[in-house]
Amino acid sequence: MSPFAQALARSRPQTRSSRRWLFVPYDQLHDGIGPLANEPPHELGIVLVESRAKAGRRPYHVQKLALVLANMRHFALEQQARGVLVRHVATKGDYASALAPLARELGPLRVQRPAERELRIELQPLFANGSLVEVPHEGWLTTADDFAAIPGPPWRMDAFYRQVRRRTGVLMQRGKPVGGKFSFDAENRRAWDGDPPAPTELTYEPDAITREVCELVRRDFGKHPGTLRPEHLPATRADAERTWQWALRECLPWFGPFEDAMSTRSTSLFHTRLSPLLNLQRVLPKQVLADALATELPLASKEGFVRQILGWREFVRHVHEATDGLRSHAGVPIERNALAADLHLPAAFWPSKPSGLHCLDRVVHDVWHEGYSHHITRLMVLGNLATLLGVLPDELSQWFWFAYADAYDWVVEPNVLAMATYGTGDLMTTKPYVAGSAYLDRMGDYCADCAFDPKTTCPITRLYWAFLARNAERLAGNQRIAMPLRSAQKRSPADKERDAAVAAWVRGTLAHGRRLDPADAP
Ligand SMILES: Cc1cc2nc3c(=O)[nH]c(=O)nc-3n(C[C@H](O)[C@H](O)[C@H](O)COP(=O)(O)OP(=O)(O)OC[C@H]3O[C@@H](n4cnc5c(N)ncnc54)[C@H](O)[C@@H]3O)c2cc1C
């Protein structure tokens, strides 16, 4: 018997009476929410399903597969230790076909509303025939009413965040925001030169159960990309708690000022690395919020972090729900490629196919190594370059979905299709997040090791001008980008011609999976 099966059998609680059964999806692994929090453990049973069909649906990063499976298995044992009875099912098929017979045997299963649209759709027939009964998901911090209270579409995170701050009283004093303003974002734009030192990433000692999961992933999903790093896998409730305490102590004091900084010396800098655990509910957003509020921190850091947890994370989930996964709203289809991008995702986004642009290659390398990179590298390196190149937003979104350990449809799609690529136009953001090499050079240290010079030869700046020229009509009337558009228009005919030629060269070279060389530039 495998170590996990043995441990599960050994810890099986005595069952004297019948139990009320719940289905716990892979991303609801906490007993601080829902029936597990509100009802006696010895009256409950939970069903956990490991679905090979789901794991194989996309080439998910091996670290993500191991993260989800190891956490599900440890959660099963943690629940049995509390007296909850566990039915753990490993199936080659999908969730619905595993759950249907169990619902016949155990009676209707309650489930907190699944966060992922993909899972909701799969389970729809079971909800329809009463095999599954939906109860509210208690892991969210905000409600549909909070979202309905703001104007939109288009929706704006700032309006949502202000509404939620007022409604909850978080960082509010006598009806006013603490410190006199709702956001200290403008003060949080420092580059990082090594001082203060970045926190050292935590490591975790893999136990027999985690090691078994890693073997399973290697054996059954050996063709999936990415590096499997067992010692970087938080797998137990205690690991999750330790990660949060590390983040609170080591990262949050400097979270604000260096929020936008990027460095080859640290993939996370003062970011918390919490998203993989928050999105599995191994750490609860309400706990994170309460602890951060109760801790003495500089206000710009505290508010900056609160905005991510109470603002952005909740906001993107509401946008996803309200738009059927960015497909339609109020019966009207949503555009997903507003800038008419037409380039297939270049090979440079995969391991060992470098583009020659050090910023891109380094972040892509980090992602395949860790299944993680922080927000600004996602937005201003990967998203920015893909948008400047005109990469198809849906292809980029799929890539983010399988490359990152924290990706689930409700969070990855709004961030890629709406925020990073402007694929859905102004649905959620006011303008495309695009920048040339000066920004990358100012906020990061990639350029020092690049074959291109950020001030002279780096093609990213010409890509930027070519992007503005290409999209001038589509972006006309957008006040937030009017100034760069005017500057693009004022460029000399020779510059405009060269911008277009460089853009065509970069797109063509990367489309063919080749590496950019300064000597080949037009
Ligand atoms: C192109 C792109 C793709 C992204 N894909 C994902 C994804 O698949 N999964 C994911 O969780 N986040 C995604 N994000 C949002 C954000 O980049 C990550 O949540 C963050 O980088 C995770 O690292 P961290 O935990 O160190 O974050 P920190 O900077 O420490 O932030 C704390 C927490 O705030 C939340 N948060 C911050 N920004 C966002 C945001 N824009 N949307 C949702 N939550 C946010 C996260 O839960 C995060 O853990 C994406 C952003 C971009 C631009």
Side-chain angles (χ1 to χ4, degrees), residues 4 48-53 69-70 72-73 88-93 95 213 216:
F4 171 63
L48 290 159
V49 180
E50 282 182 11
S51 159
R52 299 295 159 91
L69 293 177
M72 283 177 75
R73 291 184 176 198
H88 183 272
V89 183
T91 171
K92 286 200 172 113
Y95 297 99
V213 163
L216 180 158

Side-chain angles (χ1 to χ4, degrees), residues 69-284:
L69 293 177
N71 275 284
M72 283 177 75
R73 291 184 176 198
H74 281 99
F75 179 71
L77 297 174
E78 290 154 11
Q79 290 313 303
Q80 286 211 156
R82 293 175 67 224
V84 175
L85 191 59
V86 174
R87 286 287 284 269
H88 183 272
V89 183
T91 171
K92 286 200 172 113
D94 56 21
Y95 297 99
S97 34
L99 289 170
L102 282 167
R104 280 196 293 276
E105 179 194 333
L106 303 168
L109 307 168
R110 282 177 296 166
V111 55
Q112 293 185 80
R113 182 173 172 75
E116 279 209 287
R117 174 182 177 274
E118 194 167 88
L119 184 59
R120 290 198 298 270
I121 289 174
E122 188 192 322
L123 298 180
Q124 188 46 45
L126 301 193
F127 285 119
N129 70 19
S131 300
L132 287 179
V133 177
E134 185 181 301
V135 299
H137 189 318
E138 293 182 5
W140 300 109
L141 299 171
T142 62
T143 63
D145 286 347
D146 287 324
F147 190 64
I150 63 164
W155 294 285
R156 295 293 173 252
M157 205 295 286
D158 291 353
F160 174 75
Y161 178 54
R162 283 195 301 271
Q163 146 72 20
V164 175
R165 290 266 303 269
R166 286 200 184 96
R167 205 254 307 153
T168 57
V170 164
L171 288 180
M172 298 292 287
Q173 228 169 17
R174 288 188 286 279
K176 297 257 179 316
V178 172
K181 50 188 179 179
F182 280 98
S183 168
F184 291 82
D185 209 17
E187 290 161 38
N188 287 348
R189 306 249 162 93
R190 275 172 68 183
W192 182 71
D193 62 4
D195 183 30
T200 310
E201 192 191 339
L202 282 182
T203 54
Y204 311 84
E205 180 69 36
D207 62 10
I209 290 161
T210 301
R211 288 199 303 274
E212 185 185 24
V213 163
C214 291
E215 276 161 31
L216 180 158
V217 169
R218 282 193 197 99
R219 187 188 65 226
D220 294 356
F221 302 99
K223 291 209 170 81
H224 283 229
T227 310
L228 186 54
R229 302 192 307 155
E231 68 287 357
H232 288 276
L233 209 56
T236 64
R237 173 84 167 261
D239 291 344
E241 181 58 27
R242 198 175 136 235
T243 310
W244 167 228
Q245 292 307 323
W246 168 83
L248 192 57
R249 198 179 56 244
E250 307 277 333
C251 307
L252 286 202
W254 295 103
F255 183 84
F258 299 108
E259 207 178 339
D260 284 5
M262 298 176 276
S263 176
T264 52
R265 286 177 281 169
S266 165
T267 48
S268 47
L269 285 173
F270 301 94
H271 294 268
T272 61
R273 292 180 174 270
L274 268 191
S275 50
L277 295 170
L278 281 169
N279 295 349
L280 292 176
Q281 300 279 319
R282 284 303 255 169
V283 178
L284 291 182

Side-chain angles (χ1 to χ4, degrees), residues 252 255 259 268 270-276 278-279 305 308-309 312-314 316 372-376 378-379 383 396 400-401 404 406-408 410-412 415-416 419-420:
L252 286 202
F255 183 84
E259 207 178 339
S268 47
F270 301 94
H271 294 268
T272 61
R273 292 180 174 270
L274 268 191
S275 50
L278 281 169
N279 295 349
F305 182 70
Q308 309 310 315
I309 299 290
W312 277 111
R313 186 172 186 276
E314 297 281 323
V316 298
Y372 172 87
S373 77
H374 74 65
H375 184 66
I376 300 303
R378 298 186 204 207
L379 186 65
L396 187 71
F400 268 98
W401 196 345
Y404 278 82
D406 59 12
Y408 300 89
W410 63 268
V411 60
V412 75
N415 272 300
V416 182
M419 189 194 282

